[in-house]
Amino acid sequence: MGDKLKSQIEYSENINRFLSTLEIDELIRRYSTPLYVIDENTLHRKVKELRDAYSSFKGKTEIAYSIKANFNPSIIVALMKDDIMFDLTAIEELYFYQRCKGDLKRIIYTTVAEEYEEYLHVLKNGVERVVISSYNGLLNLIDAARTIDVKPKTLIRINPEVGVKASIKASYRDGKFGVPLYTNTADNAMHILEHIIREENLQFDGFHFHLGSQITDPTCFINALAKLDQFITKAKDTYDIKVNTLDIGGGTPIFYGETVPTPSTIASSMIDKLNNMSYRHGITNLIVESGRYITAESMIMLSKVVNVKEYNNDKFAILDAGYHLLLDAALLKQQYPQEVIRYDKGKSNKNIHLAGRLCDTYDIFPKSKISKLDDVDINSYIVFYNVGAYSIVFNMPFHCQTKPAVVMKDSNGNLRLVRKEQKIEDLFMEEGGELL
Ligand SMILES: Cc1ncc(COP(=O)(O)O)c(C=O)c1O
């Protein structure tokens, strides 16, 4: 059985098998299923791959982990070892980061809400670099900075309004995120820049954009940089500014079912432009944010087949998991690669479908091109690969389902529980049971 599994894996380059069959058996015995497992080594490897990709940038490159992708405290702590920055979006994320003893100087804080109380809290707690996304947000940041007399480094989040090929697009005309370069209203980059420069309590630091997640074509980066370059050139005609930092956001894709560009392909498509802008505008810091690329491949989910039903040409395997554990399978039709393990019946002459345990039409797991779905039966197990980003953070109690345990395989190869399984009694009480 072990050899069979091994040979299946060796044929597929794009799934990251970091557990031996023995380890899987041991984990299932100890924690049952569904179960998530994180591999610490993969986290460090992914950071290195991103760093290496941008190594020919002539200034300093910082990788910033977007903790929205997976805020498991053990992941945050593991990534601190890589001396990276952290991209935070909410004061609740800041709470997690502080509880993990994160260095506040290593934060870039980009909020969508931009409330005065939020900025006050963030600045009081020692965050030094903030990204502004609206004129009202700027006024709130100024008020907060004046109230406690600090001078945060301030970046402007622009919406370059470029076309993006991605699973999730964040830059489009009249969009929610950032401000356009030019408008007739107060919400434009030039107007905000002018205010930041005039404000005693802010230090202008640079520009940020985030174009989307799972970006499959790097052209959008080149187009966004071209627009920003023109804008900076124009701004320098009027204002005496120095752009220290350029933050190109996240979006580096990972393999689910389609071939995607690697970080080095994406980086090399824009590195000349980045170096040219760095030279002409004095940009010394490049920030590359990433959530998905750093965590997705670091995590698998183990699930058990609890029922099967067969029709003429199809066989359905009902799992003990569902989209309450892998929401993007339903929401984005994300094709997490899957594999049948611990069952040795070989190929099936039927089409195998993996369905979740929820009483919901959308609870069917799309198959990746590299899924290894041999025959299945009750008590076979399914491994879902590349589930480390934007899935566990959406765990929800639909059908009163509890959150499964999470185990981490650390860099020394030790398997350690990093999140306990939620108990049904705890869920009942949280949902209002304690108020009965
Ligand atoms: C501002 C910002 N930066 C970075 C990211 C991370 O994107 P990804 O996980 O695709 O790298 C996001 C994701 O939504 C984001 O909103």
Side-chain angles (χ1 to χ4, degrees), residues 304-361:
K304 182 169 148 181
V305 176
V306 291
N307 199 356
V308 290
K309 37 185 165 179
E310 295 193 42
Y311 309 130
N312 294 341
N313 302 314
D314 299 274
K315 183 169 181 178
F316 273 84
I318 314 288
L319 309 185
D320 61 359
Y323 74 60
H324 59 299
L325 302 182
L326 291 180
L327 183 64
D328 280 346
L331 206 65
L332 301 175
K333 300 272 170 277
Q334 199 129 278
Q335 301 166 352
Y336 296 104
Q338 302 117 348
E339 182 174 25
V340 182
I341 57 166
R342 294 171 113 231
Y343 184 75
D344 217 357
K345 253 181 130 185
K347 283 249 163 303
S348 169
N349 52 4
K350 303 203 168 171
N351 295 322
I352 305 288
H353 304 280
L354 300 179
R357 65 175 304 138
L358 306 177
C359 186
D360 189 291
T361 308

Side-chain angles (χ1 to χ4, degrees), residues 66 68 87 157 208 210 212-214 250-251 289-292 390:
S66 307
K68 58 176 80 71
D87 157 36
R157 177 170 182 170
H208 161 92
H210 170 70
S213 195
Q214 187 69 3
E289 298 179 355
S290 175
R292 188 184 300 276
Y390 306 111

